Amino acid sequence: MVLCLNVILFLTLHLLPGMKSSIVNLINNGYDGVVIAINPSVPEDEKLIENIKEMVTEASTYLFHATKRRVYFRNVSILIPMTWKSKSEYFIPKQESYDQADVIVANPYLKYGDDPYTLQYGRCGEKGKYIHFTPNFLLTNNFHIYGSRGRVFVHEWAHLRWGIFDEYNVDQPFYISRKNTIEATRCSTHITGINVVFKKCPGGSCITSLCRRDSQTGLYEAKCTFLPKKSQTAKESIMFMPSLHSVTEFCTEKTHNTEAPNLQNKMCNGKSTWDVIMNSVDFQNTSPMTEMNPPTHPTFSLLKSKQRVVCLVLDKSGSMSAEDRLFRMNQAAELYLIQVIEKGSLVGMVTFDSVAEIQNHLTRITDDNVYQKITAKLPQVANGGTSICRGLKAGFQAIIHSDQSTSGSEIILLTDGEDNEINSCFEDVKRSGAIIHTIALGPSAAKELETLSNMTGGYRFFANKDITGLTNAFSRISSRSGSITQQAIQLESKALKITGRKRVNGTVPVDSTVGNDTFFVVTWTIQKPEIVLQDPKGKKYKTSDFKEDKLNIRSARLQIPGIAETGTWTYSLLNNHASPQILTVTVTTRARSPTTPPVTATAHMSQNTAHYPSPVIVYAQVSQGFLPVLGINVTAIIETEDGHQVTLELWDNGAGADTVKNDGIYSRYFTDYRGNGRYSLKVHAEARNNTARLSLRQPQNKALYIPGYIENGKIILNPPRPEVKDDLAKAEIEDFSRLTSGGSFTVSGAPPSGNHPSVLPPNKIIDLEAKFKEDHIQLSWTAPGNVLDKGKANSYIIRISKSFLDLQKDFDNATLVNTSSLKPKDAGSDENFEFKPEPFRIENGTNFYIAVQAINEANLTSEVSNIAQAIKFIPMPEDSVPALGTKISAINLAIFALAMILSIV
């Protein structure tokens, strides 16, 4: 058991958040740098800005008291989209962007509600990605449904900033307590209310029916709902129902409901929300303010997004002549200029070795002639030393010379060389306000490159022996304005080593969400291959249709006229040369329609740095608009500095590294370290054989929709939510392919060989479920691995108790279940086990609690699983709650029934 505890402590210390480049700082109790960004598709509305200000101002005071006078909002930026008119009070942003915002304001795709939510898929205590408010939520009076907007913001901020979870559960709204009573899933249990079912009424009024118990579970039937009383005395909890006037605090250790089957208990091992908050980085060195008066209201800055300004700063030093680096850089830069950068953008280019030269001042991208003027200046010869600072300063000059501000402009810095003086221009970089994306080419690129990206909020990439690495990096650097339909999307990026005189065939699906501005690009290392491309209707394009670049950078390109046909495209490449050569195929496109968002895939690591043997998590999000895409194959390829590649299948199964099942976030632990240095990540998301579908399920980590209240003994109903066929409804979508770079991360302390002893246990089981079948208990869970979620565990320990607290606090002394017949399956498999709970006496109402541990071949033990509950229930004739006898109109009942079904299903 000591080994297990040491490993848990190790993981706790090293699984630090690294999800996104939020620029929020907590200084002297005040949050600075909070960014709220409005999507470009949202119509201009002054009232929206006013209501955002009112929401944050109210939230600041509520947050201050909820955290016991510790924190408040001091400085907040509201990012106005380019689509709105300019005003004198709007300033130019620096690093602030829609893609990196803490809060986004955007319409939902497929209108099925305005529930505020936080995209949060990390571990307990890890920051979320963003809060999403819809314009309708911010403009409509919905106080009775969610509570005031300021309170809702604090609920979501707690998700985003401190990594805590909701204390309700719409999928399991009731549970049976250790006292054998049915309770609503909530925190604290001091929140009071009634449990009712409403039925359709034939006349002008109707009466509430009994909440009957389900004969299998012993819980109330599915349509039973908990209605809180409007007037309460309980102060907790903000993560359950901040809409109640009395609720002003988070649940503490004293008031926390450890039995409730909610995500907070599941993800945080039964810890209270306040305990997790107090352990956050924000609160470790933050003491309560001693001043008697609350802090002043927040200060707001209105920033208006500007047209995109990008300057390429490209290394042409002598080392770039090695391994075809100059050719590869030019191929990728040309692809970026022709296929990726959005039309209307301003683009410049600088090349550097020991000195720097501006090749192109800013030029607006409008047509092919402009591209050619810039690509004609790509460097053809590599020589000289490396001065990154001179390159950056020339990049700033190219921007300023064109009467543009460096503030908010982007620089793409590519280099393969070392530079001991790079830190001499850090202060200039900070003052510039520019965003610097860095691409390290090869293992010798300056180690300080990542510092430039980190300090400016830019992306970081590493490309080495994977010849497509540069293409993938450039393709990832699209606009961060939130205009998804304008961004380039990579459908394919494949390197193929083909022997002499041999042919290779392949396919690329083009789905109906894309097809505009579609390019097929082929590159080679020795001689141009013979190319045949066929669209889904049989039309063929041949080698002569592909334009070869005049600069002899060994690439040929075909732009599909109009909109590319939907369906499967096939290609065939014949290597006419006698020697083997590497051919690459890259396909990019854009959204088919400005009103229908395309399917997109993004990827990143849980953190930018890792120290062996601490694991990191690979995350990939696949969605259409804000809707998750399910049922697809998602594969991550991680490459080390020596060219070694690890392929990982990512899972959306709610087990191991994956927090929530079927949320469109695919994840997996990475532990296969092989030496120190930079590692790159790319992800391929693929839907084949018509398996993909959209999930219309309401997102997790959201403000709870309240269907109604009890006030003075009467039921007061809230307006209904928009109708959805079924909360679990799923829409099928056609086959597609997406490829994206997840950037790079840096590893230290790792042995050079991949064959190192196992020092990590199996992952914690977080989806254990239990139920009675006659006199046996049936268990189900997802199998962990030998090392976290990789391989196969060696054995399981299952323990059972009639006491929840005994099992939670003293697992090792609970009754052991005989598991000699249970052989662990491969990680990710479904495990099922049935046993008779001996020597316990079983009768009606007998309540058991069960938990599991996994042991691996090195005798390392996982954390104890979530605690599952099994109840032996024999239904009684009158087993129900008393009727309330409250009469309401048939119209109101129908409204309530709809709202209730959508909330609970």
Side-chain angles (χ1 to χ4, degrees):
M1 200 57 194
V2 174
L3 283 174
C4 174
L5 289 173
N6 286 340
V7 170
I8 293 170
L9 177 61
F10 190 83
L11 291 177
T12 303
L13 291 172
H14 287 89
L15 276 177
L16 300 175
M19 294 182 65
K20 67 187 286 283
S21 301
S22 171
I23 56 176
V24 175
N25 285 313
L26 179 60
I27 302 171
N28 296 330
N29 301 92
Y31 284 115
D32 295 331
V34 179
V35 178
I36 301 175
I38 301 171
N39 189 278
S41 65
V42 174
E44 185 166 358
D45 192 333
E46 279 292 325
K47 188 66 176 172
L48 194 58
I49 296 175
E50 291 175 22
N51 286 5
I52 289 172
K53 289 180 178 180
E54 290 176 5
M55 173 183 73
V56 177
T57 301
E58 181 199 358
S60 184
T61 303
Y62 188 61
L63 180 69
F64 181 69
H65 293 295
T67 58
K68 301 175 174 40
R69 306 179 66 84
R70 282 177 172 83
V71 295
Y72 64 98
F73 296 115
R74 181 163 46 220
N75 293 306
V76 176
S77 296
I78 301 175
L79 191 61
I80 312 295
M82 270 187 66
T83 49
W84 290 25
K85 295 174 184 174
S86 295
K87 294 187 177 180
S88 58
E89 61 263 34
Y90 294 166
F91 295 94
I92 297 174
K94 290 187 177 180
Q95 297 169 19
E96 299 88 353
S97 70
Y98 182 89
D99 277 9
Q100 301 292 327
D102 306 289
V103 182
I104 60 172
V105 179
N107 290 308
Y109 176 54
L110 299 183
K111 296 182 182 299
Y112 60 85
D114 295 297
D115 291 352
Y117 71 92
T118 301
L119 183 60
Q120 175 191 10
Y121 46 80
R123 310 280 90 189
C124 179
E126 292 184 8
K127 291 181 174 66
K129 190 172 183 184
Y130 60 74
I131 297 168
H132 178 194
F133 293 128
T134 67
N136 195 49
F137 168 78
L138 291 168
L139 293 171
T140 305
N141 185 351
N142 42 37
F143 297 157
H144 297 295
I145 299 172
Y146 303 104
S148 68
R149 284 189 280 264
R151 288 178 170 232
V152 170
F153 186 28
V154 171
H155 174 97
E156 300 306 327
W157 183 260
H159 284 306
L160 180 77
R161 188 71 185 177
W162 304 316
I164 58 177
F165 298 88
D166 287 324
E167 292 171 325
Y168 60 84
N169 186 341
V170 293
D171 295 321
Q172 193 175 341
F174 296 97
Y175 68 98
I176 297 179
S177 74
R178 58 177 175 266
K179 297 177 181 177
N180 237 5
T181 59
I182 300 179
E183 296 287 346
T185 302
R186 67 199 193 280
C187 192
S188 70
T189 53
H190 297 136
I191 299 290
T192 58
I194 59 172
N195 308 314
V196 294
V197 170
F198 290 86
K199 294 188 175 181
K200 292 181 180 178
C201 305
S205 62
C206 58
I207 191 168
T208 56
S209 72
L210 310 175
C211 274
R212 300 189 179 276
R213 298 182 78 165
D214 183 279
S215 62
Q216 297 298 316
T217 65
L219 294 169
Y220 290 137
E221 58 191 295
K223 292 184 179 181
C224 183
T225 190
F226 172 76
L227 286 183
K229 293 180 179 178
K230 186 76 172 175
S231 177
Q232 304 274 349
T233 57
K235 294 182 178 180
E236 307 90 2
S237 167
I238 291 170
M239 300 313 291
F240 173 58
M241 203 175 282
S243 56
L244 296 172
H245 180 74
S246 68
V247 171
T248 55
E249 298 178 4
F250 295 96
C251 267
T252 64
E253 185 179 9
K254 290 182 179 178
T255 57
H256 181 60
N257 180 6
T258 58
E259 291 185 286
N262 54 38
L263 206 54
Q264 173 64 23
N265 280 328
K266 175 182 174 181
M267 296 304 301
C268 298
N269 295 327
K271 287 184 181 177
S272 74
T273 52
W274 183 245
D275 283 342
V276 176
I277 292 169
M278 287 301 291
N279 284 327
S280 70
V281 174
D282 283 356
F283 284 66
Q284 286 175 5
N285 298 305
T286 302
S287 301
M289 294 178 68
T290 55
E291 294 86 349
M292 292 302 295
N293 296 324
T296 56
H297 287 174
T299 299
F300 295 94
S301 301
L302 301 182
L303 311 175
K304 186 173 186 290
S305 299
K306 64 174 188 175
Q307 62 187 331
R308 194 173 187 205
V309 176
V310 179
C311 186
L312 305 182
V313 178
L314 307 177
D315 187 350
K316 66 176 189 71
S317 61
S319 56
M320 288 291 290
S321 62
E323 298 180 342
D324 267 352
R325 288 176 185 164
L326 196 72
F327 269 109
R328 288 162 55 198
M329 178 184 76
N330 287 347
Q331 287 172 346
E334 183 188 58
L335 180 141
Y336 181 73
L337 292 167
I338 296 176
Q339 299 173 219
V340 177
I341 189 75
E342 297 79 12
K343 281 189 168 59
S345 302
L346 293 170
V347 179
M349 185 170 68
V350 166
T351 58
F352 70 94
D353 42 51
S354 54
V355 295
E357 183 178 356
I358 298 174
Q359 301 293 346
N360 295 88
H361 288 99
L362 295 183
T363 306
R364 190 176 303 281
I365 299 294
T366 54
D367 53 36
D368 291 350
N369 293 328
V370 177
Y371 299 132
Q372 291 168 8
K373 286 179 183 177
I374 301 175
T375 56
K377 298 287 187 73
L378 286 167
Q380 300 302 302
V381 179
N383 54 45
T386 304
S387 177
I388 291 171
C389 282
R390 286 178 178 170
L392 289 174
K393 289 176 181 177
F396 297 152
Q397 290 168 11
I399 294 169
I400 294 169
H401 184 272
S402 303
D403 296 326
Q404 292 292 319
S405 169
T406 56
S407 185
S409 297
E410 298 169 73
I411 284 181
I412 300 175
L413 170 64
L414 186 152
T415 182
D416 75 334
E418 296 182 2
D419 183 353
N420 296 326
E421 298 179 354
I422 188 172
N423 57 2
S424 66
C425 57
F426 282 175
E427 288 304 315
D428 290 337
V429 168
K430 288 178 184 176
R431 282 194 296 270
S432 75
I435 298 163
I436 300 180
H437 311 294
T438 58
I439 304 175
L441 180 55
S444 300
K447 303 304 178 189
E448 297 84 359
L449 276 182
E450 284 75 13
T451 305
L452 291 170
S453 295
N454 294 341
M455 71 168 61
T456 64
Y459 298 127
R460 45 188 282 170
F461 302 96
F462 165 63
N464 193 20
K465 296 188 178 179
D466 181 351
I467 203 164
T468 60
L470 279 180
T471 301
N472 299 336
F474 272 106
S475 297
R476 180 69 180 86
I477 309 174
S478 54
S479 167
R480 310 206 292 183
S481 68
S483 297
I484 297 175
T485 56
Q486 295 178 16
Q487 295 175 1
I489 294 169
Q490 212 172 356
L491 304 186
E492 183 62 281
S493 177
K494 185 177 287 186
L496 307 159
K497 187 170 185 179
I498 306 175
T499 55
R501 316 296 184 193
K502 295 293 184 182
R503 183 183 298 275
V504 66
N505 302 313
T507 61
V508 179
V510 175
D511 59 280
S512 62
T513 69
V514 295
N516 250 323
D517 207 21
T518 302
F519 288 87
F520 284 77
V521 182
V522 176
T523 72
W524 55 91
T525 53
I526 301 175
Q527 179 182 315
K528 184 179 181 180
E530 179 185 302
I531 308 168
V532 179
L533 176 68
Q534 182 173 301
D535 77 9
K537 290 188 174 179
K539 181 177 180 180
K540 288 187 177 181
Y541 300 89
K542 297 184 178 179
T543 310
S544 57
D545 296 312
F546 281 72
K547 272 189 199 175
E548 193 169 347
D549 190 87
K550 297 175 183 176
L551 295 174
N552 189 29
I553 56 174
R554 302 193 289 247
S555 69
R557 174 177 286 99
L558 170 68
Q559 181 174 16
I560 304 301
I563 295 178
E565 291 287 347
T566 298
T568 300
W569 290 65
T570 60
Y571 61 84
S572 177
L573 306 177
L574 173 63
N575 178 13
N576 284 317
H577 200 273
S579 301
Q581 67 170 327
I582 296 176
L583 307 179
T584 73
V585 179
T586 303
V587 184
T588 63
T589 187
R590 298 186 200 272
R592 180 173 296 254
S593 164
T595 58
T596 302
V599 173
T600 58
T602 58
H604 66 88
M605 304 301 295
S606 58
Q607 55 208 70
N608 291 330
T609 58
H611 186 83
Y612 173 84
S614 174
V616 287
I617 300 175
V618 186
Y619 290 114
Q621 181 184 8
V622 188
S623 60
Q624 184 180 11
F626 294 105
L627 297 183
V629 176
L630 312 179
I632 62 174
N633 297 321
V634 182
T635 305
I637 300 170
I638 296 169
E639 184 181 14
T640 65
E641 285 191 352
D642 66 0
H644 176 72
Q645 290 189 345
V646 175
T647 301
L648 278 178
E649 181 186 351
L650 306 186
W651 297 333
D652 184 14
N653 60 355
D658 194 63
T659 304
V660 178
K661 185 176 182 178
N662 289 339
D663 64 350
I665 309 295
Y666 297 77
S667 53
R668 198 81 183 274
Y669 286 109
F670 174 74
T671 58
D672 293 331
Y673 297 114
R674 186 187 175 107
N676 297 326
R678 296 182 174 104
Y679 287 47
S680 68
L681 166 68
K682 70 176 178 181
V683 165
H684 188 199
E686 189 176 34
R688 296 283 190 185
N689 304 319
N690 299 312
T691 59
R693 61 198 187 277
L694 291 176
S695 172
L696 304 184
R697 181 186 174 87
Q698 295 289 329
Q700 299 275 347
N701 310 311
K702 61 187 177 72
L704 180 61
Y705 180 93
I706 311 297
Y709 299 92
I710 303 300
E711 190 169 12
N712 298 323
K714 294 181 180 179
I715 297 175
I716 309 297
L717 301 176
N718 284 324
R721 295 169 65 179
E723 184 174 1
V724 183
K725 291 179 183 177
D726 189 326
D727 196 30
L728 297 178
K730 296 176 177 66
E732 292 184 0
I733 55 177
E734 65 235 309
D735 291 350
F736 66 84
S737 173
R738 299 291 185 270
L739 193 135
T740 185
S741 170
S744 66
F745 62 105
T746 307
V747 173
S748 60
S753 168
N755 298 320
H756 36 75
S758 171
V759 294
L760 296 171
N763 64 262
K764 175 186 173 181
I765 295 164
I766 59 174
D767 61 350
L768 178 67
E769 294 183 358
K771 64 179 180 180
F772 259 99
K773 183 180 180 183
E774 298 176 348
D775 59 348
H776 283 67
I777 293 176
Q778 293 179 325
L779 301 180
S780 62
W781 67 93
T782 303
N786 180 58
V787 176
L788 298 175
D789 57 8
K790 179 186 176 185
K792 183 191 299 184
N794 196 49
S795 62
Y796 290 114
I797 299 171
I798 300 178
R799 294 186 183 273
I800 184 169
S801 174
K802 285 189 173 183
S803 168
F804 176 89
L805 291 176
D806 286 352
L807 192 64
Q808 182 187 49
K809 297 182 180 298
D810 194 12
F811 175 82
D812 290 341
N813 287 320
T815 301
L816 190 65
V817 174
N818 184 350
T819 57
S820 58
S821 63
L822 178 57
K823 305 301 180 187
K825 298 178 183 177
D826 290 331
S829 303
D830 293 333
E831 294 276 28
N832 294 283
F833 182 65
E834 186 174 303
F835 68 96
K836 188 173 183 179
E838 297 173 334
F840 297 99
R841 181 183 175 186
I842 303 173
E843 53 191 9
N844 190 30
T846 301
N847 197 346
F848 287 110
Y849 299 97
I850 305 104
V852 183
Q853 280 184 313
I855 304 175
N856 68 8
E857 59 187 14
N859 209 32
L860 295 172
T861 308
S862 73
E863 291 183 66
V864 177
S865 72
N866 64 295
I867 297 175
Q869 184 185 42
I871 302 161
K872 182 64 175 177
F873 176 69
I874 303 171
M876 304 295 288
E878 298 298 325
D879 193 7
S880 58
V881 296
L884 290 176
T886 306
K887 293 188 177 183
I888 56 177
S889 70
I891 293 176
N892 283 345
L893 178 66
I895 289 173
F896 178 82
L898 173 63
M900 178 187 65
I901 291 168
L902 293 178
S903 293
I904 293 179
V905 172

